[in-house]
Structure formats: structure tokens, C-alpha cells
Amino acid sequence: MKFSKRIDQLNEGIFAKLLEIKREKLARGEQVIDLSVGSPNIAPARHILDALCAAAADERNYTYAISDLPELLEAVSKWYKNRYGVDLDPKTEICSLMGSQEGFPLISMTVVDEGDLVLIPDPCYPIFADGPRMAGAKLYYMPQKRENGYIVNLKDIPEDIARLAKLMIVSYPNNPTTAVAPDEFYHELIAFAKEYDIIVLHDNAYSDLVFDNKRGGSFLAYPGAKDVGVEFNSLSKTYGIAGARIGFCVGNKEVVSRLKMLKSNLDYGMFIPIQKAAIAAITGDQSCVSRTREAYEIRRNILCDGFNSIGWHMKKPEATMFVWAPIPPKYEKSIDFAMDMLNRAGVMVTPGSAFGPSGEGHVRIALVQDIEDIKKAIEAVKRSGILD
Ligand SMILES: Cc1ncc(COP(=O)(O)O)c(C=O)c1O
């Protein structure tokens, strides 16, 4: 059998290796506290579940959806207006995604041809690299360095690279670094994209997980943003419904129309009960969003204060559901530290190198366990002696 280069370049990588060790440990009856994958454990609000259940009980909802329900498009438009102050035309500027994850390869397929250049942040959430790669793109990594607050420095991008690039992916609040970009960054980004004719994709999965009474926004709220690109948004983390796979691509109508065209040839639309659940989530009582944010904030405080108190120094993140922690000085590689954490403390974190070359030297800790388990993890790391 002969397979494509496209599939050969993807690999399960470190996550599969860590999972294998986790399973072995669990089979031996040992405890593992998993702080690796960002899969939320906060239950969805009742009204979202009720909408989903009622729609799932209606036999008329089992036909192909074909496209987004007009009431879903209206709901997204109102949500963007109320939540971010952004106007979106329901008919032309919104397209649902079955999770924003699928949007990365799909949008890449609409923008790049084999060998075209895509700019991606480094470190980054893995699909930012794999999505364009699946579409045949070449990648240029834009480092997110500690000395620049983990924000991409557009001035560091060589002129010839900028001229060649067709698509650029950026995302703040950032996974894995947790950085939040200042207003100036977005103004510069829009000017840069206009100058070099690059389509911008801003991934905005964590705008509602911004802490310390600050409020996250939208790329599209900046003047000129809609001229140069689109934003992905996701209900996964905000509403605790990652498994329902609900995301959106919103913004520039040229980009949105091509994505819709591609999707209309690929899938027959999002399952109608899921569309109804999405409407319930974004139009219903939003107090569940504040409760989720508070839960992550409390976990962040307990985890960071706890690890700092036992000598592992890390900054409290301003946003997201992650902590981006430097590895202790005696370690050179994040994979070695992550393996010791798992093997000796039974605590699973993700090595920074899994997010790209500039991720080395850090691990990502996901705030996906309850307070009691976070406290247990801190105790286990202390007892293991790996910080000594
Ligand atoms: C930055 C970022 N973008 C996108 C996603 C994918 O979200 P979805 O569940 O909507 O596919 C994640 C999930 O962890 C993420 O961290």
C-alpha cells in the first residue's frame, strides 16, 4: 500500500507516548493526575443540555442540516454585537465549524496551494501548524519570545517572507503561552497584513477566560480587521461543551464564502440539535460563563501558589485554562521533566517542545482537574523530590 506524504508528516507524538505511560500506571493501580490535555471538566449549563435534549427528541431534526440555521446565524451576529461590539452580517460573514479545530485545515485549503507560505506562531497549538501542512503549505515560524511578552514581533519577519506569505495565524489569549496581546499589536497586525496582502486568521478560543476582572475582546473589533481576515471562536471551553464540537469562523466575507463553499462540498451541516444547543448557549443566561471563568481562576491561584510555595517558580497566567511554567533549572529538556513528573510524581503535563521549537524550556499545565486533585498534584510533586 502506498500512502500520502500528507499523512506521513502527521504523528501522534508525545501525547500518545504520555498516554501510554498513563495507562500502564493506571493498570498497576497507581494514581495519575492528568493536567496535560485541555479537555474541560466543567459541566455545561442546564439550559444548554435541555435545548440539546429537546431537539434530539424531535424526530424532524434528523435530516441533513445542509447549512447553518438562519436562527443560528442571527444568534451569532447578536452574540458578537453584545459580547464584542462587532457587527456581523448573518448571511455573509458567519460560518459554523464543527469545532474550530477543523477550520485550520479547511481555511488553509481555501487559501494556499501546494508550497505556499503560511506564517504561524511558535510555540503554538499544534493544529496551527498541522492544518496548513495538510493543505500543502510551507510554514514560517514567528517566535513568541519571553522577552517580548510571548507576543509575535512583526518587525522580526523578513521582508521577503512577508511578501511570499498568503496566510498568517495568530491567537491571543494564547495557548500554550497564555499571553494576552495589547491593542497596539492588533493595530500593527492589520497594517502589516494590508501592506503585504496577507489573510489573517485570529483564533479566539479563550476571550472569556480572562482573569483578574479584565475582559477579553475580539480581533474584529479593531478598525480594518474585517478587511484583512477572520476570527475563529469556539464554544468548547467557554460553555464546557468541547465534545459537542461547536465553533465559528466570522469576519471577511471573501474568506467566509470560500470556507462555506468548501464545507458545502464536504459535510452536510452541523447536526440540528447541536445547532439548537449552540443557540441556547450564546443567547441564554450568560452567568454560566462567569462561573466557569471563576472556577478556572481559583484553580489557577491554587496551582500557582502551591507550586511556587514548594520552589517551582511560575507566573500566574492572565488568561486561558493553562499555566506556562519554566522547567526547573536542573533540567535541560521539557520532555525529561514531563517524564519525571509522570513517572515519579504521577502528574501528567505537556512538554513545551510539543508546541514547536520555541516551546522548549517550559511545560504546559492544564487547569482541568478539581481543586482537590490540584492540591494532590502539588503534594505528589513535593514528595517525589524532583524539584530538589
Ligand atoms: C487555541 C485553541 N484553538 C482551538 C482549539 C480547538 O477548539 P475546538 O474544540 O473548537 O475545536 C483549542 C482547543 O484546545 C485551542 O486551545
Side-chain angles (χ1 to χ4, degrees), residues 38 98-102 104 125 127-128 171 175 203 205-206 233-237 242 245-247 322:
M98 296 184 196
S100 50
Q101 186 92 357
E102 72 154 7
F104 293 91
Y125 181 59
I127 195 72
F128 292 10
S171 177
N175 175 10
D203 184 31
Y206 297 105
N233 212 317
S234 167
L235 305 195
S236 292
K237 313 295 162 83
R245 315 303 302 126
I246 308 170
F322 306 108

Side-chain angles (χ1 to χ4, degrees), residues 5-6 9 108-109 111-117 132-138 166:
K5 292 195 190 81
R6 190 175 305 114
Q9 70 191 354
S108 302
M109 283 168 74
V111 175
V112 301
D113 289 312
E114 197 70 33
D116 284 345
L117 193 64
R133 257 198 217 122
M134 285 181 214
K138 286 205 178 108
K166 287 179 93 176

Side-chain angles (χ1 to χ4, degrees), residues 350-380:
T350 310
S353 54
F355 300 99
S358 302
E360 191 48 278
H362 289 74
V363 288
R364 192 194 71 176
I365 311 171
L367 300 166
V368 289
Q369 301 295 343
D370 296 331
I371 293 170
E372 283 321 305
D373 281 333
I374 289 176
K375 287 183 179 163
K376 276 189 204 155
I378 294 159
E379 264 315 302

